[in-house]
Amino acid sequence: MTLSQLEVGETGVVKEFTDLEMSVKLMEMGCLPGEQVRVSRIAPLGDPIAIHVAGYQLSLRKFEASTIILQ
Amino acid sequence: MKADIRVALVGNPNTGKSTLFNALTGLNQKIGNFPGVTVDKKIGYTTLPDGRKAEIIDLPGTYSLYPKSKDESIVFSVLAEKETELTPDLVVVILDATNLKRNLLLYTQVADLKIPVIIALNMMDMAAKANIQIDIDLLSRRLGVPVVPVSARKVEGIDDLKKIISFANTHALQVEGIEVQAIAPAIIAAIKEELHIDNPYFALQLAHQHETLNFLTPAQSDRIEALELEHGFHSQKAQATETIARYNYINDVLYDTVKTPVTAHDESLSNKIDKVLTHRVFGFIIFMGVLLFMFQSIFAWSAYPMSLIEDLFVWTEGGLRQVLPTGPLADLLIDGVVAGLSGVLVFIPQIAILFAFISILEDTGYMSRVTFMMDRIMRKVGLNGKSVVPLIGGFACAVPSIMSTRTIENWKDRMITIMVTPLVACSARLPVYTLLIALVVPSRNVWWLFNLQGLALTGMYVLSLLSAVIVAYVMKFVLKARERGYFIMELPVYRMPRWNNVLFSMYERSKAFVLQAGKVIIAVSIILWVLSSYGPGNRFEKIEQKYQQPQFTKTMKPDSLTRVISTEKLENSYAGILGHVIEPVIKPLGFDWKIGIALITSFAAREVFVGTMATIYSVEGDADRIDSVQDKMRNAKNAQGKPVFSFAVAFSLMMFYAFAMQCASTVAVVYRETKDWRWPAAQFAYMTALAYGAAFLVYHLLK
């Protein structure tokens, strides 16, 4: 299951990434394996999404969220 | 100014770094460029408690030393390059106390460069409100460096920070964090040995960034590249390993120093606001409302200061006329330099107001929500959520809007935004449109409600947005992407705007505009003045002599005689001759040589059109009387005795003004933002081509 499949309000724990380049950027922003993430909202047009991670809100596109595999 | 100690400010975006910089330095700051790049360099000065003077460099906000935009790449260069005029003696890392974990990543990287470091723990008031408890002494002991709690917004703790800066050690005190050597042992050892570097993290950063660092010689960079191949160094893998190691270390540090409640108070309030502001219906309605208010204000609030500036210049011109002896020098100074200067300064109110709004929208965190909402639509046409702001701002003026594209990290998205922003119908086109529409479109209502003239004007505005979107879509395929586009962005907690920052932003942007764009505008104004005031050979003298003859002086009134003389002089001036020269080119668009002169002078600024028309058709009274210009233009007949400004010509002319890049300020600012003449040149070329094509098409369709 990937982060892009979560509905608003659902939580998951990051397991690994499918894209190395994207993972480097995401991990810098505190989105690391073992970290809990919660989808806080989806943009009015369905993309991008906003997640709650490491104590703050991060927005990312659906495609980017699909590179994050959850436990 | 010579300083005793140089301090660099480093921190994540949205941590209040600029606020701290302003609190430390006040108005005692200047903006320049870092050598060789377009990034703004902000330097300020402050006096320390011991009387020494400290130079403070505000480095661009970044989440790590691995850069994602041009702005960010400066941070490592400045910190790492030895013995330049920017090398800091001390780094103040500013951390957001409400989000220490992510903020500490950058700190641990900077600390590993072994430069003396101080931590300024900002937003302590917000952390207290959110019930986040931080054991500052323990944190300081864990890291081995001074930690100063501050609240930049409330100007609290600034004196303490200055005191700590003045006591700061010249040696790095920070304790060892992660084991850097273990990330890539072979390459680090090799670079350390070959380039005689002591610091392992510096060596590792060179391995990552050697291609973009200016201070390495090409030979050094090539050598590092060879070493990487030899030792099988993989930049992204090493970076991932490093980041994970750093977060493990940070978790250890924070384990018993910070206590965070389950849900932060501010976050939940922010969440409630977000539910409304990014709502699928209300979100867009509110955004439209904000924009509408912004435009109304830009026009309404700038009207008075703009007329004040104009009055001031009229007064100055009058004063100078009396003081200076008449002659070409006075004319050049007054009609060329002062007139050009007034053309620049008159835009300041609009620029200042637009930037006040942008700064408020950014400060409060609303801008990132707009970006969040609009990204999907904008991406379809090759733009980015962040392009919304400059495009909308383009309705007021392209100049500040192009300056505001700096928030777009992605190079391609930013370039496309810069290239299409001048297509949006700016306020300078308004007088041209209203004059021409009033001339050929009857003022009559259709479907009871809509005035035909109003519909025509609305059509021009809609056309401008459409053309910007279409050109952006085409450029999406023309421009090659330099990097992969992504949209990983922090949505900061909503906050009240910091009014000081708003004022600083208004002041800074206006100053940058006057200094940079001003030079070009004045130069162009002077050239235009020379072109329209002088003619080749003794043509002007001949005109003077001709009208001194009795058949003119006897039969004509003195002021109408002056008008006829100046009209004939204009025709024989270099500008007039140019108008005749380009007549064959613009004839297919339905334009004659007089319109040609207006087109040429309009390349300085579009609003010059009305003034030039006024001069050419030698209107009685002042150039601002649009009615009389309109009458003269309506009565103007061509050689066949038909009106010059037919429906087809007027619309062809409007098309030309809609698309052509007739604005010296925009050309100047595009150059300033891209630091490459090819961008404004390409923009000028494509827009002129588009203008010619559209005008040609419209003229022949309507003829």
Side-chain angles (χ1 to χ4, degrees):
Chain A
M1 179 151 183
T2 68
L3 176 58
S4 60
Q5 289 163 304
L6 289 189
E7 300 287 326
V8 173
E10 290 183 342
T11 56
V13 175
V14 178
K15 188 177 164 210
E16 56 190 356
F17 304 92
T18 59
D19 182 315
L20 182 63
E21 187 190 342
M22 217 53 95
S23 78
V24 171
K25 295 191 164 86
L26 287 164
M27 286 199 291
E28 265 184 1
M29 299 299 281
C31 202
L32 294 121
E35 198 74 39
Q36 196 184 55
V37 291
R38 187 183 77 237
V39 176
S40 44
R41 73 196 78 254
I42 295 175
L45 300 165
D47 194 17
I49 65 171
I51 61 168
H52 192 82
V53 62
Y56 78 104
Q57 209 178 169
L58 182 73
S59 104
L60 67 170
R61 287 177 182 157
K62 273 246 165 98
F63 167 74
E64 289 144 11
S66 74
T67 68
I68 301 174
I69 297 173
L70 302 176
Q71 276 177 14
Chain B
M1 216 182 305
K2 189 92 179 77
D4 303 299
I5 177 170
R6 193 177 298 116
V7 181
L9 278 188
V10 174
N12 284 188
N14 308 311
T15 49
K17 199 165 55 63
S18 307
T19 315
L20 181 66
F21 178 72
N22 290 341
L24 278 172
T25 62
L27 267 177
N28 196 0
Q29 48 177 272
K30 60 178 189 212
I31 303 180
N33 272 315
F34 285 107
V37 280
T38 48
V39 182
D40 273 342
K41 177 180 75 177
K42 275 167 75 183
I43 288 184
Y45 297 90
T46 190
T47 310
L48 298 175
D50 58 7
R52 285 187 301 160
K53 193 158 268 171
E55 181 183 276
I56 318 270
I57 306 170
D58 186 19
L59 293 175
T62 181
Y63 293 102
S64 91
L65 286 184
Y66 296 102
K68 280 177 229 63
S69 70
K70 250 192 170 165
D71 277 28
E72 294 179 8
S73 65
I74 276 303
V75 180
F76 178 69
S77 302
V78 169
L79 295 185
E81 197 175 356
K82 296 276 180 292
E83 280 159 27
T84 70
E85 53 174 17
L86 291 172
T87 312
D89 302 306
L90 175 72
V91 179
V92 173
V93 179
I94 176 162
L95 304 181
D96 175 354
T98 63
N99 191 354
L100 266 183
K101 192 167 157 182
R102 200 202 57 218
N103 276 252
L104 275 170
L105 177 77
L106 178 65
Y107 163 78
T108 61
Q109 291 177 333
V110 173
D112 280 343
L113 290 173
K114 300 291 181 225
I115 309 166
V117 186
I118 290 176
I119 290 178
L121 202 52
N122 195 21
M123 312 217 184
M124 284 304 285
D125 51 331
M126 312 282 262
K129 239 192 229 168
N131 260 330
I132 299 172
Q133 289 161 17
I134 303 170
D135 187 338
I136 291 172
D137 289 338
L138 188 58
L139 183 64
S140 172
R141 279 204 303 278
R142 281 273 159 80
L143 301 172
V145 299
V147 178
V148 190
V150 297
S151 174
R153 172 189 293 259
K154 292 186 176 166
V155 203
E156 285 169 5
I158 306 298
D159 288 337
D160 290 340
L161 180 62
K162 283 188 189 172
K163 213 179 285 168
I164 300 290
I165 291 175
S166 70
F167 291 155
N169 212 303
T170 47
H171 299 286
L173 299 170
Q174 51 266 40
V175 298
E176 284 298 327
I178 61 163
E179 207 191 321
V180 173
Q181 206 90 36
I183 299 168
I187 186 88
I188 291 176
I191 292 177
K192 274 173 76 175
E193 197 195 313
E194 295 225 2
L195 282 104
H196 312 289
I197 291 165
D198 299 327
N199 185 314
Y201 192 56
F202 182 49
L204 179 64
Q205 281 288 348
L206 288 189
H208 284 292
Q209 300 197 41
H210 64 91
E211 282 168 7
T212 52
L213 291 172
N214 292 329
F215 60 84
L216 291 177
T217 64
Q220 283 175 321
S221 182
D222 289 347
R223 187 64 200 134
I224 293 174
E225 188 70 42
L227 287 172
E228 284 182 7
L229 280 175
E230 192 183 318
H231 296 288
F233 176 76
H234 191 296
S235 177
Q236 283 172 348
K237 276 184 193 156
Q239 210 181 318
T241 313
E242 183 192 328
T243 307
I244 291 172
R246 288 196 186 283
Y247 271 110
N248 281 337
Y249 169 70
I250 291 167
N251 281 336
D252 286 347
V253 169
L254 293 181
Y255 174 69
D256 54 355
T257 49
V258 176
K259 285 196 183 67
T260 317
V262 185
T263 319
H265 160 82
D266 238 33
E267 201 278 321
S268 59
L269 174 69
S270 213
N271 212 13
K272 280 179 196 151
I273 301 174
D274 259 340
K275 276 200 177 125
V276 182
L277 291 188
T278 63
H279 188 270
R280 61 183 60 206
V281 180
F282 300 128
F284 289 108
I285 295 176
I286 292 170
F287 177 48
M288 287 300 147
V290 168
L291 287 183
L292 212 65
F293 179 72
M294 208 166 110
F295 283 125
Q296 291 296 324
S297 315
I298 287 173
F299 284 115
W301 299 347
S302 67
Y304 183 67
M306 281 173 96
S307 72
L308 262 188
I309 294 172
E310 277 169 354
D311 288 348
L312 186 74
F313 271 96
V314 170
W315 180 81
T316 313
E317 281 173 29
L320 281 176
R321 269 262 185 255
Q322 285 188 339
V323 176
L324 295 171
T326 42
L329 189 71
D331 284 347
L332 173 71
L333 204 65
I334 295 162
D335 297 334
V337 180
V338 177
L341 209 61
S342 79
V344 182
L345 296 182
V346 83
F347 280 118
I348 287 181
Q350 285 195 350
I351 289 179
I353 295 171
L354 184 64
F355 271 100
F357 274 109
I358 288 178
S359 151
I360 291 171
L361 294 183
E362 267 171 3
D363 244 24
T364 50
Y366 183 63
M367 200 72 104
S368 12
R369 271 68 181 191
V370 171
T371 311
F372 177 67
M373 285 196 293
M374 300 296 285
D375 183 62
R376 177 111 196 236
I377 308 177
M378 302 307 276
R379 204 160 16 128
K380 284 231 163 84
V381 298
L383 296 165
N384 179 304
K386 295 184 179 175
S387 315
V388 176
V389 182
L391 283 184
I392 298 298
F395 279 119
C397 179
V399 173
S401 304
I402 286 171
M403 292 199 268
S404 72
T405 58
R406 281 188 211 161
T407 52
I408 304 172
E409 289 107 2
N410 185 285
W411 176 84
K412 182 177 167 181
D413 293 353
R414 179 168 178 239
M415 284 306 156
I416 295 182
T417 311
I418 290 178
M419 293 299 269
V420 302
T421 298
L423 286 172
V424 179
C426 67
S427 57
R429 286 171 172 113
L430 193 61
V432 181
Y433 290 165
T434 45
L435 176 66
L436 290 170
I437 288 175
L439 206 58
V440 295
V441 179
S443 174
R444 138 171 95 74
N445 282 9
V446 283
W447 305 310
W448 301 285
L449 206 56
F450 301 102
N451 181 285
L452 262 185
Q453 293 186 338
L455 278 182
L457 190 63
T458 313
M460 293 308 294
Y461 275 87
V462 173
L463 174 80
S464 77
L465 261 192
L466 270 181
S467 62
V469 166
I470 294 169
V471 171
Y473 186 72
V474 173
M475 287 207 171
K476 181 180 156 184
F477 299 102
V478 175
L479 277 185
K480 276 204 195 79
R482 282 194 187 170
E483 67 254 302
R484 235 169 106 180
Y486 61 92
F487 191 78
I488 300 170
M489 182 187 78
E490 180 181 356
L491 289 177
V493 172
Y494 285 107
R495 287 186 181 133
M496 280 300 286
R498 288 151 287 188
W499 301 110
N500 259 342
N501 286 9
V502 174
L503 287 177
F504 272 118
S505 159
M506 290 168 79
Y507 168 76
E508 270 171 19
R509 296 302 183 151
S510 311
K511 193 169 130 190
F513 169 72
V514 171
L515 293 183
Q516 305 281 338
K519 286 180 211 153
V520 175
I521 298 178
I522 290 174
V524 171
S525 306
I526 292 174
I527 292 168
L528 276 176
W529 174 83
V530 170
L531 287 181
S532 51
S533 316
Y534 292 93
N538 56 355
R539 288 190 187 197
F540 276 34
E541 284 165 35
K542 277 188 184 156
I543 295 167
E544 293 270 2
Q545 280 165 8
K546 178 174 140 196
Y547 286 103
Q548 266 165 17
Q549 282 162 17
Q551 76 248 41
F552 294 110
T553 46
K554 290 267 166 62
T555 55
M556 292 169 84
K557 282 192 209 127
D559 51 331
S560 60
L561 187 63
T562 332
R563 272 202 320 276
V564 172
I565 293 175
S566 60
T567 308
E568 197 161 330
K569 273 188 179 170
L570 182 67
E571 189 173 354
N572 282 285
S573 71
Y574 290 106
I577 293 164
L578 263 177
H580 277 293
V581 168
I582 67 164
E583 196 173 21
V585 183
I586 57 174
K587 201 136 204 176
L589 311 181
F591 306 159
D592 62 7
W593 70 270
K594 288 179 182 172
I595 299 177
I597 298 179
L599 290 186
I600 291 171
T601 55
S602 291
F603 274 101
R606 297 176 177 96
E607 59 270 37
V608 173
F609 175 80
V610 180
T612 312
M613 281 290 140
T615 318
I616 295 171
Y617 291 103
S618 51
V619 185
E620 291 211 34
D622 57 356
D624 289 334
R625 283 182 54 200
I626 290 181
D627 275 335
S628 48
V629 185
Q630 204 182 315
D631 288 340
K632 284 284 174 187
M633 285 167 70
R634 183 168 284 135
N635 295 332
K637 299 275 190 300
N638 62 15
Q640 288 84 43
K642 289 190 182 134
V644 175
F645 291 95
S646 64
F647 193 75
V649 170
F651 268 88
S652 159
L653 204 50
M654 275 199 276
M655 284 302 144
F656 196 87
Y657 274 83
F659 292 113
M661 171 70 138
Q662 294 160 299
C663 180
S665 329
T666 308
V667 175
V669 86
V670 170
Y671 170 67
R672 179 177 134 76
E673 292 300 315
T674 57
K675 281 281 179 297
D676 186 342
W677 275 113
R678 280 175 297 181
W679 287 105
Q683 190 172 38
F684 187 87
Y686 101 75
M687 286 179 71
T688 309
L690 214 56
Y692 193 89
F696 183 84
L697 207 70
V698 163
Y699 178 66
H700 285 273
L701 283 176
L702 295 178
K703 196 169 65 170

